[in-house]
Amino acid sequence: MKSPPRKRQSGTAPAKDRSLEEPPPPPYAHSPATARVFQSGNSQAVRLPKQFRLKTTKVQIFRRGNDIVLREKPARLSDLLSGLPPLPDDAFPDEIPDRPPEPIEKL
């Protein structure tokens, strides 16, 4: 015996079109968190949660698809060297003592 066709009940949503859904998020090092966006002068700013604190004062920012990515700006070698203490005056002597050549052994 065949069962009668089911009628759609009023109040139920039509089937979703899967092609319109957002893709799943990429794997994250930290779970996503919510941050507050606010105006700071003429700029828009984001207050980062504690687990996303940065170790630098400058970041690179770019878009990757619908995502906005903040990345710590890589340090330049000149910036790293400028942070080192100065070398002592005797680090590079004016003259290097010259010793006589060593004799060659004959076989």
Side-chain angles (χ1 to χ4, degrees):
M1 214 185 325
K2 247 181 170 179
S3 60
R6 296 178 90 187
K7 291 184 180 178
R8 205 170 112 207
Q9 297 176 355
S10 62
T12 59
K16 284 186 178 180
D17 182 4
R18 298 266 182 219
S19 65
L20 300 177
E21 289 183 11
E22 285 191 35
Y28 295 108
H30 293 280
S31 326
T34 302
R36 193 173 137 242
V37 179
F38 59 97
Q39 279 300 119
S40 177
N42 289 330
S43 299
Q44 195 175 39
V46 176
R47 189 174 308 279
L48 296 176
K50 190 174 186 177
Q51 71 260 31
F52 295 101
R53 285 195 177 155
L54 302 168
K55 297 174 188 143
T56 183
T57 58
K58 292 190 177 193
V59 295
Q60 293 177 333
I61 183 170
F62 58 93
R63 286 191 181 269
R64 184 183 297 149
N66 291 334
D67 298 334
I68 297 174
V69 179
L70 293 177
R71 181 168 50 199
E72 291 189 27
K73 190 172 179 182
R76 294 187 336 222
L77 181 59
S78 59
D79 294 339
L80 295 174
L81 293 175
S82 67
L84 293 175
L87 292 172
D89 292 334
D90 61 346
F92 299 106
D94 292 333
E95 292 184 12
I96 298 174
D98 193 17
R99 293 182 286 193
E102 295 180 16
I104 299 175
E105 293 181 19
K106 294 184 181 180
L107 297 174

